[in-house]
Amino acid sequence: MKQSDYLKVLKLAKRTLEESQNWGEDELYKAPVKNISLPVQPQATELKNNNKLSVEELKNKVLNCKDCALGKTRLNAVFGEGSSSAEIMFVGEGPGFDEDHQGRPFIGKAGQFLTNLIELMGYSRDSVYIANIVKCHPMKDPSNPELRGNDRPPTDLEVSECSKYLEAQIAAINPKVIITLGKPSARYFLKTDMAMGAIRGQFRDYNGIKLMPTYHPSYLIRNGCVFGKKDQGQEVTKLKKEVWTDLKKVMDYLKTGKI
Ligand code: SF4
Ligand code: URA
């Protein structure tokens, strides 16, 4: 391992230890050693993973897709990113302003929050896979992609047009666990309108893959959850504990193979 990799691991471990005390955990979670935040080596992945080509082909299709109305107004299609041999796949609802501008998933405020959560779990962002149910930015006012706060959830029609790509991504990556973030994503997989509070935290089966629904990072941010600071109020502490409980279930499953 390179010296810079060691430093990266140490830095993450220190942050995890400090932060875990704020997330209902009194000792550092012992993630499986092989998953501790080592950057994925692109070459090794390419050699190991014979799905690589199909993920790339799929990406090209998405970048050129105009199958639904979102394709006409997006600035950039957002395919998804991460390790093509990831054990965990996070699925959000759709690109927002920042993602539309940069063509990458979860890179705005919610994305930073998600990255922190991933690292708190003992993984690095590039060792998991991050995608959305739709690949182009759903906007309240589609004529104005330069307006912040113009995001909306995708419609059922947009989801049904785009889901072929998500399904192909899942088939190519074949994760052990899918973590759905927020209601539109849980709703797509579970075909339910139940509130997040009622469906989060319980493992489901999705075509043989374990699926764990939890809250969307934007919802957590809106409700006062922060990293690196003391919680303001019991509701925040409760919410953080809930998310952490959900994520720990995933970590335990990946460690032991049991739920
Ligand atoms: Fe194509 Fe999906 Fe974008 Fe619609 S949202 S244009 S189906 S990639
Ligand atoms: N919210 C999402 O659901 N997905 C993103 O990529 C960014 C924000």
Side-chain angles (χ1 to χ4, degrees):
M1 217 194 313
K2 284 186 293 179
Q3 198 185 11
S4 59
D5 291 343
Y6 277 115
L7 283 175
K8 205 171 164 190
V9 172
L10 278 176
K11 220 173 96 197
L12 276 177
K14 181 169 173 283
R15 203 163 104 214
T16 303
L17 185 59
E18 287 164 1
E19 193 61 46
S20 60
Q21 280 143 13
N22 296 329
W23 288 78
E25 185 66 281
D26 46 19
E27 68 168 86
L28 175 63
Y29 189 85
K30 295 172 188 65
V33 170
K34 71 182 164 69
N35 288 326
I36 290 184
S37 67
L38 294 179
V40 174
Q41 301 295 333
Q43 265 186 341
T45 311
E46 204 170 299
L47 290 178
K48 256 195 328 207
N49 197 317
N50 46 22
N51 291 326
K52 173 89 176 160
L53 201 65
S54 59
V55 174
E56 281 306 307
E57 278 172 351
L58 206 53
K59 183 170 179 177
N60 273 334
K61 282 198 176 172
V62 166
L63 297 187
N64 293 307
C65 179
K66 302 262 186 226
D67 287 356
C68 82
L70 299 182
K72 298 192 181 76
T73 52
R74 66 161 185 243
L75 300 176
N76 290 289
V78 179
F79 177 66
E81 66 185 26
S83 165
S84 49
S85 53
E87 292 186 332
I88 307 178
M89 184 162 177
F90 290 87
V91 182
E93 62 179 67
F97 177 97
D98 293 299
E99 292 75 21
D100 193 20
H101 279 73
Q102 294 191 43
R104 294 179 55 207
F106 280 100
I107 40 110
K109 260 197 202 155
Q112 186 52 57
F113 197 95
L114 176 64
T115 306
N116 284 339
L117 278 180
I118 292 167
E119 292 177 353
L120 196 58
M121 292 172 79
Y123 288 79
S124 62
R125 188 180 151 111
D126 53 12
S127 70
V128 301
Y129 200 88
I130 304 177
N132 284 302
I133 42 176
V134 299
K135 312 302 188 197
C136 304
H137 185 194
M139 287 177 265
K140 290 184 228 164
D141 173 3
S143 69
N144 203 351
E146 295 306 331
L147 181 69
R148 270 197 189 268
N150 190 16
D151 311 337
R152 63 161 172 82
T155 63
D156 287 348
L157 186 65
E158 290 155 0
V159 172
S160 75
E161 281 292 351
C162 201
S163 58
K164 54 186 181 268
Y165 298 123
L166 176 62
E167 292 300 335
Q169 257 171 330
I170 294 170
I173 291 154
N174 193 23
K176 292 193 174 136
V177 180
I178 294 171
I179 300 180
T180 67
L181 302 169
K183 193 154 171 199
S185 178
R187 195 165 163 255
Y188 167 71
F189 286 101
L190 301 175
K191 311 289 177 232
T192 174
D193 258 329
M194 281 163 71
M196 270 318 297
I199 49 174
R200 58 148 278 273
Q202 296 166 50
F203 271 116
R204 313 290 174 121
D205 178 85
Y206 187 73
N207 301 332
I209 299 171
K210 294 279 175 291
L211 188 134
M212 173 59 71
T214 196
Y215 295 116
H216 195 285
S218 300
Y219 176 81
L220 298 172
I221 294 170
R222 270 202 309 280
N223 284 280
C225 296
V226 277
F227 276 84
K229 280 192 201 151
K230 279 254 168 286
D231 301 345
Q232 301 289 312
Q234 284 178 356
E235 276 307 305
V236 175
T237 306
K238 181 170 165 270
L239 209 49
K240 283 169 83 172
K241 268 194 182 157
E242 285 179 340
V243 183
W244 190 233
T245 306
D246 302 348
L247 298 180
K248 273 209 306 187
K249 284 185 186 169
V250 171
M251 289 141 73
D252 284 339
Y253 170 67
L254 290 173
K255 206 171 163 194
T256 65
K258 294 193 196 108
I259 58 174

